[in-house]
Amino acid sequence: MRIGFIGLGNMGRHMARHLIHAGHLVTVHDMRSEAASEHLALGAHWADTPAACAHDAEVLITMLPNPRVVEDVLLRGGAAEALPEGALWIDMSTSTPAAADRVAAEVLDRRAVRRLDAPVSGMARGAEAGMLQIFVGGTADDFRMCLPVFEAMGDPGKVLHVGPLGAGYTVKLMINLLWFSHLVATSEVLAMGVKAGVDLGVLRNSLLASPAASHFLENDILCVLADGDYDDSFAMMLACKDLGLAVDLGRDLGVATELSALVEQIYRRSKAQHGDLAGEMSPVRLYEALAGREFRLPHPSAAPDGAALSTV
């Protein structure tokens, strides 16, 4: 399949590489030409502009940092206008239905270009291993046609058709929102418990033996507890962006988001204190400061084989 791929960042560079290895004819573009060096060495073609990347593509994939950049690339970068009639645009960015709808309304609808939204979870390590979780919104026919493309980048058992256009974006935002909420709630509980004098390991084991147990407490927070690793593979500025998109979606839908808005505020406070590029688990540090100690276990139990440290 002829695939144009735009966005060779921490995630996209691995995803594009897997598509090349799967035998697709891949043309790549990124604002940094040096990001494509490994892909060109594997046989990919370079495009100087988004429009050139989209020209003659059967499928155009975008993997970009936010909705504004998605619109810039598709509209002002000319990619949407350059797509051949009948081509398919797959946006794998964490974006919003509204941004994709604006692109469609301005260009795609009148040119019979189809589209899917297919954001991913699994972080850079999942992208590197080709084992991403992919949540696809769009028609069943388009999903089936692109399934080999998705399975080249993701875990075949976790490539899910989640509904019509926009459903993929929504599912991904809800996954991130719930994960960030787990982090804040868990951090607050650990801070209170240890400051009250309960041993951190005993507290965690007690929580895991109770109805309050969670995947986050059992697996994801181990990187902090074992190694003091706050997961800088996903930056705080991106986490705050995703939280803002989720809260905005709730507002647009008329759903009260009091808890989500508070989680967003805590994340933004951590970003201000620890920096834009600090790891996504940096809000834990706010609660470590309140507890007067770092959350560390001397010999934490290992995460199960294959367990991801993060789902966002």
Side-chain angles (χ1 to χ4, degrees):
M1 189 175 290
R2 296 190 307 277
I3 298 176
F5 196 105
I6 301 177
L8 302 173
N10 287 340
M11 304 282 286
R13 66 188 182 93
H14 298 300
M15 296 160 67
R17 187 182 67 250
H18 288 302
L19 292 173
I20 299 167
H21 284 312
H24 297 287
L25 303 175
V26 180
T27 299
V28 296
H29 174 77
D30 191 272
M31 63 183 300
R32 301 169 300 111
S33 59
E34 62 272 18
S37 58
E38 63 177 317
H39 309 89
L40 301 185
L42 292 172
H45 300 285
W46 169 256
D48 288 326
T49 65
C53 192
H55 178 72
D56 201 37
E58 296 175 271
V59 171
L60 176 68
I61 296 175
T62 47
M63 185 62 181
L64 300 165
N66 58 55
R68 179 187 60 78
V69 178
V70 171
E71 291 189 64
D72 282 345
V73 164
L74 269 292
L75 297 176
R76 289 163 284 282
E81 194 69 55
L83 276 168
E85 189 165 331
L88 193 148
W89 168 43
I90 304 175
D91 186 23
M92 304 189 77
S93 318
T94 300
S95 187
T96 62
D101 288 345
R102 284 191 291 270
V103 174
E106 290 198 35
V107 179
L108 299 186
D109 288 346
R110 62 182 167 80
R111 303 191 61 251
V113 170
R114 294 126 56 218
R115 56 187 173 110
L116 294 171
D117 48 282
V120 305
S121 288
M123 302 303 298
R125 70 180 64 193
E128 184 174 10
M131 294 297 285
L132 290 169
Q133 303 155 33
I134 305 177
F135 310 98
V136 186
T139 70
D141 286 346
D142 287 339
F143 171 74
R144 282 192 293 268
M145 187 198 87
C146 292
L147 193 55
V149 174
F150 293 132
E151 289 181 345
M153 299 179 285
D155 179 347
K158 295 183 179 180
V159 177
L160 305 177
H161 183 219
V162 296
L165 287 171
Y169 292 135
T170 300
V171 168
K172 175 60 193 302
L173 288 175
M174 296 305 97
I175 289 169
N176 284 13
L177 176 59
L178 188 56
W179 193 88
F180 296 138
S181 300
H182 275 304
L183 182 144
V184 170
T186 300
S187 300
E188 188 172 288
V189 165
L190 294 182
M192 284 192 287
V194 299
K195 195 161 188 180
V198 180
D199 176 81
L200 177 63
V202 170
L203 176 59
R204 177 171 173 267
N205 288 339
S206 300
L207 292 167
L208 289 175
S210 79
S214 69
H215 184 279
F216 182 89
L217 182 64
E218 183 174 4
N219 296 293
D220 296 353
I221 201 171
L222 273 177
C223 61
V224 173
L225 303 183
D227 304 314
D229 175 6
Y230 298 92
D231 191 13
D232 60 6
S233 67
F234 194 75
M236 283 296 296
M237 62 181 181
L238 296 177
C240 289
K241 179 265 296 183
D242 289 356
L243 279 164
L245 292 176
V247 170
D248 287 346
L249 179 61
R251 184 182 303 113
D252 292 343
L253 295 171
V255 175
T257 58
E258 293 98 335
L259 176 60
S260 301
L262 181 57
V263 171
E264 182 191 8
Q265 289 176 27
I266 292 167
Y267 259 78
R268 293 195 181 281
R269 177 152 48 92
S270 178
K271 181 169 78 76
Q273 184 166 329
H274 304 121
D276 287 355
L277 300 181
E280 64 174 336
M281 300 185 78
S282 293
V284 176
R285 298 162 69 182
L286 298 176
Y287 292 91
E288 289 177 329
L290 291 173
R293 54 164 288 186
E294 294 182 329
F295 299 155
R296 301 290 183 270
L297 296 177
H299 300 290
S301 57
D305 288 345
L309 292 182
S310 170
T311 58
V312 300

